[in-house]
Amino acid sequence: MLIAPAAGSESAKAPDDGAFDVALVVVHGMGNAFKSQILLEWAEPLLERMDWVARDRIIGADESHGVTIHDSDLSGDTPVVTATVRFPKRRDPAAPDAPPETVERRIAILEARWSESFVPMTRAQVFRWAVPFMWRVITRTLDLFWNTMVVLSALTLGHHLRAPRQALLLPRTMNFLVDGIRLLVNTIAFAVVWLFLVLLGVVLTPILPLLSPLLLIPWFKNIAQGVLDGLVESIGDVASWKERPVRASAMRLVVRDALAHAKQLVGDDGEVHLFAHSQGAAVATFALFEELEPKSFNVRRLTTVGAAVVLLGREKWQGRKDEYTPVKTWIERNRDAAPEDRVAWANHWAIWDPFSAGPIADTPADARKRWQAAYFPSDETLALGPEEHAVHNTSQPWLDHGVYYANTVQVVEPTVRHLLGPDFPTVAAPVDYIRNRLVVIDKKSLGLSTIAALFIAAMLPGLSGMSAVFAWLITTIAGAIGSAIALVPGLDGSAASASVAFLIDDDADPPRLTVIGWVIASALLAALLIWLNQLMQKQTERSIVWDRCPLDVRTWLVLTAVPRALYVIGAAVVVWFAILDWWEPQPDAASLAIDAALLAIVAAFVIVEPRFSPAPRVVPEQRTLDDRATVLPPTERMRLGVAIASQEYQAELAARRARLQPDGPWATWWAKHFHGWTPGQQPPGA
């Protein structure tokens, strides 16, 4: 169990050298980072998940297993968290009746905070540099979105056309219809995104170099200085990395010192793992493979998340070629090292993250191959590179880059299992596939419901009837507030109604919202619907990630589709009423019926799309093109129906249900109706 130090207590002493089995060094991304910020951002979810998996009864754990935190020094010169994890040792399949053993794993987590290791560039320098960098980001983002939205849809369509009928979930005609609609909708959506990003770049290109001189104007400085300083604080680190080699070296020095400290903590026999996010991944990768000798620091694993390794590359020197081949260097370092000294490299990238923008490779062609290998691997997709994890964080491009720490199944747990080492029990392949696939479905549902919520919020307050309802609601609330104020002696409550007059058009019959009122009502309604959507998604995600006895897959798919269906059907109804209310001339009954049928087809597609869309797989490390054993033939690729029917999944579900001990009326009702639990049922070994 997690045991935190008492409030106000201090660490008894500094961690002893050589006292730990593994040390994890975490490196933050671009922007200013406070002391212990990146440490807490990752140490808390890692230790929480570590405790959960170590105490899982399905692997033979009991109350003596789990995480014990020893020190949480967050304010010292080198912030560090130390802990011991106790878990049942993985059983040898050749000796299933051997007595159980408990493993103790001593872990230290420390941070490498480089954001204060150099003097930042000036605003003018940053904004002049930002224009070409902005276009590089836009180009890479469009390439990622083209692959994710259009190419993947086309590949899925082609795969289903070639697949045997027994491998398809629906009849071939229905699959073709679903795949065709997906390809059409995604192509149109990509065209809209392309137009928006290109126009944004065109507008910002002449503006960015002028922002610093404009701050000389007093009124502009008062309005914009805070925003611009925040922007410079974020991208200024990137500019310093690319344009100022001395400052870039200062960043890498922090990583080297953190690795040296980690090496002291684990001694000669322990392992050091390096974990880096965003720009920190570029800093850490360059420092580890270009400047340091990994085996001198006992580095055995590099994990990058949202990595800007390809985007940022190396620092630029005048008169030097800006060529950077991180994969080639990593392979050469491993080729010269003994097997026990080689560095494994795992890279996690969210499919909507514009900064990582896909896999790490030395050439765009190799990156495209490894991207395709995440969905439809074949001999043609072989390319050199690290282990690639395409993950689903939020399905929202403006959020995906910063929330890798919240992706428990696809990012946190794989990192946890690496830290716990080979003695920790493994997960059966079908069980692991099911959990990953359900997470993908859940996150895609979150994104689709968010889009539906925005449609509802944008249109609903503008409908004639709903506009009058919103106007009445605002008037009623303002009147009630005014009446409450008037109850206080000496106060006049009439101003409450007057304060909202600009939101309501009283000349209309009945009164309705003004344009400003419509915008404000839409913003408030969008906030409410998105909040409810995220609240429901947290519950569905929890049922996958944290329930000791999760629902069977088919029941989960049905129950979790209900919120998505409500949002999507609600959006379709609002769009139909908008056509009825706004279209001029007024559409006839036949046109309205056709519109309703088309909207119903689109709504049905959106509701079922997450279930039919492909889920990414892990692309193994590829250090030589001669090794083709990592490519799965089409007949061996896992599918959800096959995984559900597998003996491994059915056995685990039965074992978890047998261990159910519901506590309370609601838990008892749930266990009876969804898991077949009966009163008096005792877990094995009780």
Side-chain angles (χ1 to χ4, degrees):
M1 61 184 292
L2 284 166
I3 303 176
S9 65
E10 297 181 355
S11 301
K13 61 175 182 177
D16 294 329
D17 291 348
F20 298 94
D21 299 301
V22 61
L24 178 70
V25 177
V26 291
V27 188
H28 68 86
M30 66 180 183
N32 189 35
F34 301 106
K35 179 176 285 190
S36 301
Q37 180 179 340
I38 187 66
L39 176 64
L40 289 173
E41 187 175 275
W42 284 101
E44 290 178 337
L46 287 172
L47 291 174
E48 184 177 33
R49 191 61 179 177
M50 205 174 289
D51 183 73
W52 193 91
V53 297
R55 291 167 56 84
D56 196 354
R57 298 296 191 270
I58 204 72
I59 64 172
D62 55 38
E63 292 300 321
S64 68
H65 298 109
V67 172
T68 300
I69 296 178
H70 302 301
D71 288 301
S72 186
D73 183 2
L74 305 178
S75 58
D77 293 336
T78 304
V80 61
V81 175
T82 62
T84 296
V85 190
R86 304 181 77 252
F87 57 85
K89 185 176 182 179
R90 181 169 62 92
R91 290 181 178 271
D92 184 355
D97 298 326
E101 299 180 50
T102 293
V103 176
E104 285 194 0
R105 186 86 163 165
R106 299 160 298 172
I107 296 174
I109 307 175
L110 58 157
E111 70 176 12
R113 187 169 64 97
W114 50 262
S115 65
E116 296 180 359
S117 62
F118 61 96
V119 177
M121 294 168 61
T122 65
R123 292 193 199 97
Q125 291 171 329
V126 170
F127 285 131
R128 281 197 301 270
W129 167 86
V131 172
F133 178 73
M134 174 192 67
W135 280 108
R136 177 166 168 76
V137 172
I138 289 175
T139 302
R140 284 171 50 82
T141 300
L142 290 175
D143 185 59
L144 173 69
F145 289 179
W146 167 258
N147 286 329
T148 301
M149 300 171 73
V150 181
V151 175
L152 178 59
S153 300
L155 290 174
T156 304
L157 175 61
H159 172 72
H160 286 164
L161 288 176
R162 294 188 299 270
R165 171 63 187 90
Q166 60 269 23
L168 300 176
L169 188 64
L170 292 177
R172 194 176 298 277
T173 303
M174 291 298 298
N175 266 289
F176 178 79
L177 180 63
V178 171
D179 293 336
I181 293 175
R182 181 194 293 116
L183 178 59
L184 176 63
V185 171
N186 284 344
T187 302
I188 295 172
F190 174 77
V192 174
V193 172
W194 185 94
L195 184 62
F196 171 77
L197 289 179
V198 171
L199 289 177
L200 180 65
V202 171
V203 171
L204 291 179
T205 295
I207 291 178
L208 285 176
L210 299 176
L211 288 177
S212 185
L214 286 174
L215 289 177
L216 298 175
I217 304 174
W219 65 266
F220 184 81
K221 179 178 180 180
N222 294 335
I223 295 174
Q225 182 169 359
V227 175
L228 295 181
D229 285 345
L231 181 61
V232 170
E233 185 179 276
S234 296
I235 67 172
D237 292 347
V238 180
S240 296
W241 168 260
K242 288 296 295 180
E243 300 294 321
R244 299 293 186 267
V246 174
R247 304 180 208 200
S249 179
M251 300 178 197
R252 299 194 294 270
L253 179 62
V254 173
V255 175
R256 187 196 70 183
D257 290 345
L259 290 176
H261 188 192
K263 170 62 166 59
Q264 289 181 338
L265 294 178
V266 301
D268 294 331
D269 298 325
E271 297 181 0
V272 173
H273 293 193
L274 185 56
F275 188 100
H277 172 244
S278 188
Q279 181 183 344
V283 175
T285 301
F286 191 95
L288 183 63
F289 296 133
E290 300 285 347
E291 296 182 332
L292 305 177
E293 188 65 42
K295 69 178 182 180
S296 299
F297 298 88
N298 283 28
V299 178
R300 299 292 180 264
R301 176 168 292 276
L302 169 65
T303 301
T304 51
V305 294
V309 173
V310 177
L311 174 64
L312 301 185
R314 63 183 303 158
E315 79 275 38
K316 183 172 68 176
W317 291 78
Q318 295 295 334
R320 290 190 188 181
K321 292 183 178 180
D322 192 18
E323 184 180 355
Y324 182 48
T325 53
V327 172
K328 178 182 177 183
T329 306
W330 164 66
I331 292 173
E332 289 175 348
R333 283 300 181 96
N334 280 329
R335 183 183 299 125
D336 298 336
E340 63 275 10
D341 293 329
R342 290 174 182 166
V343 180
W345 186 0
N347 180 53
H348 301 256
W349 54 276
I351 65 166
W352 296 106
D353 182 353
F355 295 100
S356 60
I360 292 176
D362 289 340
T363 67
D366 284 352
R368 283 191 293 270
K369 288 180 180 180
R370 293 186 67 75
W371 176 88
Q372 186 174 339
Y375 292 94
F376 299 104
S378 66
D379 287 341
E380 288 71 32
T381 62
L382 286 176
L384 302 180
E387 180 179 280
E388 295 287 353
H389 298 250
V391 304
H392 289 245
N393 286 343
T394 65
S395 293
Q396 300 171 46
W398 55 89
L399 292 178
D400 257 12
H401 184 65
V403 294
Y404 284 90
Y405 62 87
N407 191 331
T408 303
V409 168
Q410 296 177 316
V411 179
V412 174
E413 185 164 325
T415 305
V416 162
R417 292 182 176 274
H418 289 318
L419 290 172
L420 294 180
D423 286 335
F424 191 77
T426 57
V427 178
V431 177
D432 186 59
Y433 171 83
I434 286 172
R435 194 168 51 177
N436 180 71
R437 182 68 185 276
L438 295 188
V439 165
V440 171
I441 292 172
D442 192 51
K443 294 300 173 62
K444 287 182 69 72
S445 299
L446 173 65
L448 292 173
S449 296
T450 299
I451 295 173
L454 293 176
F455 269 96
I456 295 172
M459 295 184 176
L460 187 62
L463 301 179
S464 299
M466 292 307 301
S467 183
V469 170
F470 276 101
W472 171 83
L473 184 62
I474 292 172
T475 303
T476 302
I477 294 175
I481 293 174
S483 300
I485 293 174
L487 295 176
V488 180
L491 296 181
D492 182 9
S494 60
S497 297
S499 66
V500 297
F502 72 100
L503 301 175
I504 302 170
D505 181 7
D506 289 321
D507 295 334
D509 186 24
R512 55 184 300 164
L513 296 175
T514 62
V515 174
I516 296 177
W518 182 353
V519 172
I520 293 176
S522 293
L524 294 175
L525 184 58
L528 175 63
L529 291 175
I530 291 174
W531 174 74
L532 289 174
N533 182 36
Q534 292 176 338
L535 190 66
M536 290 185 289
Q537 190 271 332
K538 286 181 180 178
Q539 297 304 314
T540 57
E541 183 181 24
R542 181 180 178 83
S543 67
I544 307 170
V545 177
W546 297 107
D547 279 2
R548 292 294 186 187
C549 185
L551 288 169
D552 70 273
V553 176
R554 292 186 174 87
T555 303
W556 184 91
L557 289 171
V558 172
L559 292 180
T560 56
V562 172
R564 181 171 71 254
L566 293 176
Y567 271 77
V568 174
I569 292 172
V573 170
V574 168
V575 171
W576 187 86
F577 274 104
I579 295 172
L580 177 64
D581 194 23
W582 299 341
W583 199 271
E584 294 293 343
Q586 189 72 26
D588 55 27
S591 298
L592 290 174
I594 294 174
D595 293 337
L598 292 176
L599 287 171
I601 293 173
V602 173
F605 164 76
V606 174
I607 292 171
V608 303
E609 198 276 340
R611 173 65 180 86
F612 289 88
S613 58
R617 64 186 288 275
V618 176
V619 182
E621 284 185 354
Q622 198 76 40
R623 300 178 185 174
T624 170
L625 294 180
D626 294 332
D627 181 13
R628 300 180 182 270
T630 58
V631 178
L632 293 177
T635 56
E636 295 184 15
R637 293 175 191 152
M638 189 72 72
R639 292 187 294 112
L640 194 55
V642 174
I644 294 172
S646 67
Q647 181 181 356
E648 294 93 336
Y649 170 71
Q650 293 298 328
E652 175 160 318
L653 182 62
R656 291 190 180 280
R657 286 176 169 176
R659 288 168 169 79
L660 265 177
Q661 292 179 290
D663 183 15
W666 170 248
T668 301
W669 181 90
W670 188 270
K672 285 181 179 179
H673 289 82
F674 289 105
H675 295 295
W677 182 84
T678 56
Q681 178 176 318
Q682 294 292 324

